């Protein structure tokens, strides 16, 4: 597995990479890339970390799995590369941003511009087999990303965690809500967005919180 990771993250995670579970996870992932079609491309597994240095993080958005269809996954949850059609959940995210902040819906679903402003776009599982949602769950990735969330909660100051859907909300037990802002809602999926994602105003609430703690708001 190509552990290409930004230097501040490498320093924080160096002990994690030495743990037995991660050694086992690496062996599993290497075997999968050797024998199956796996997303994202191997060089982009840690793209969320690469694009958003540890000490620059202001906001954490938690996803579950990478996209599992060709050309979609590039290591940032909810995001797709330029030129790729926006998946329905991402379309609904942009609709809520327009509703909340009156920002026009962009043509591209590439969220690298968010990551570069300090939005950490973390999937709980960082790899997946083509066309098989959830196929790399319970192989060790969740242990790794749970420890990342704990690390951010412990070391970060006044971060915003956006937890969309039941899976992400369960990660709330890893976060110290006394020192961070935790905003939960239903998932932006078309199956649930109308039950509370639309109208949650989490993007303006995030920026109001950041501003209150002397942090530059996100240009959503």
């Amino acid at each position: 597995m190509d552990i290409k990771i930004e230097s501040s993250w490498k320093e924080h995670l160096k002990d994690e990479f030495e743990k037995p579970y991660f050694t086992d996870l690496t062996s599993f992932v290497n075997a999968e890339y050797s024998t199956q079609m796996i997303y994202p491309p191997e060089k982009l597994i840690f793209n969320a970390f690469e694009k958003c240095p540890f000490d620059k993080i202001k906001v954490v958005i938690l996803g579950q799995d990478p996209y599992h269809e060709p050309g979609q996954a590039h290591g940032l949850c909810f995001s797709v590369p330029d030129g790729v059609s926006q998946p329905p959940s991402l379309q609904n995210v942009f609709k809520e941003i327009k509703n909340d902040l009156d920002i026009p819906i962009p043509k591209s679903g590439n969220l690298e511009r968010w990551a570069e402003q300090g939005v950490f776009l973390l999937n709980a599982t960082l790899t997946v087999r083509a066309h098989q949602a959830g196929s790399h769950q319970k192989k060790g990735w969740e242990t790794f990303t749970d420890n990342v969330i704990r690390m951010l909660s412990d070391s970060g100051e006044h971060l915003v965690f956006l937890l969309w859907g039941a899976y992400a909300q369960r990660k709330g037990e890893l976060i110290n809500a006394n020192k961070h802002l935790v905003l939960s809602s239903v998932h932006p999926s078309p199956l649930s967005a109308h039950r509370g994602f639309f109208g949650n105003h989490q993007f303006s609430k995030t920026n109001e919180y950041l501003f209150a703690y002397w942090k530059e708001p996100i240009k959503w």
Side-chain angles (χ1 to χ4, degrees):
M1 181 163 56
D2 182 13
I3 304 178
K4 181 176 185 289
I5 199 163
E6 188 272 334
S7 58
S8 66
W9 276 111
K10 186 176 291 186
E11 180 64 25
H12 280 91
L13 293 171
K14 59 185 179 183
D15 292 339
E16 202 69 24
F17 294 142
E18 301 299 323
K19 292 180 180 178
Y21 88 86
F22 198 87
T23 301
D24 293 342
L25 172 62
T26 298
S27 296
F28 167 77
V29 171
N30 285 341
E32 286 287 284
Y33 273 96
S34 296
T35 60
Q36 306 289 332
M37 178 59 73
I38 305 299
Y39 300 128
E42 189 171 5
K43 66 181 181 180
L44 296 178
I45 292 174
F46 295 97
N47 199 27
F49 299 81
E50 188 68 20
K51 297 292 184 186
C52 198
F54 186 92
D55 297 327
K56 301 293 186 183
I57 291 175
K58 304 175 192 173
V59 181
V60 181
I61 299 179
L62 297 177
Q64 187 167 355
D65 254 8
Y67 295 122
H68 53 82
E69 296 302 325
Q72 293 182 313
H74 67 144
L76 307 175
C77 74
F78 291 99
S79 180
V80 291
D82 293 327
V84 175
S85 297
Q86 297 173 10
S89 292
L90 181 57
Q91 291 178 25
N92 287 338
V93 169
F94 288 145
K95 287 177 184 177
E96 174 55 21
I97 291 171
K98 185 177 190 305
N99 170 66
D100 189 11
L101 295 167
D102 199 28
I103 295 173
I105 294 174
K107 293 180 180 178
S108 174
N110 190 335
L111 303 181
E112 287 182 359
R113 59 190 177 82
W114 292 6
E116 291 164 358
Q117 297 178 73
V119 181
F120 187 47
L121 298 162
L122 180 67
N123 277 316
T125 304
L126 299 189
T127 55
V128 68
R129 279 191 187 186
H131 319 301
Q132 297 183 40
S135 50
H136 283 189
Q137 292 178 6
K138 299 180 181 177
K139 302 295 185 181
W141 278 129
E142 294 92 340
T143 301
F144 174 71
T145 53
D146 280 0
N147 287 342
V148 167
I149 295 166
R150 288 191 190 94
M151 193 178 297
L152 287 168
S153 177
D154 293 344
S155 300
E157 293 294 335
H158 305 301
L159 304 181
V160 182
F161 290 83
L162 303 183
L163 309 182
W164 300 336
Y167 184 89
Q169 288 168 26
R170 287 195 290 272
K171 304 295 185 179
E173 64 189 31
L174 308 172
I175 302 163
N176 183 348
N178 293 318
K179 63 182 290 199
H180 305 291
L181 177 64
V182 179
L183 298 175
S184 300
S185 83
V186 298
H187 196 275
S189 160
L191 299 175
S192 56
H194 291 279
R195 301 202 307 269
F197 184 81
F198 293 137
N200 66 24
H201 299 289
Q202 288 191 359
F203 301 97
S204 58
K205 290 176 182 176
T206 294
N207 280 353
E208 288 165 4
Y209 182 84
L210 294 176
F211 185 79
Y213 287 97
W214 305 97
K215 296 184 179 184
E216 186 75 22
I218 305 300
K219 294 182 176 68
W220 300 106

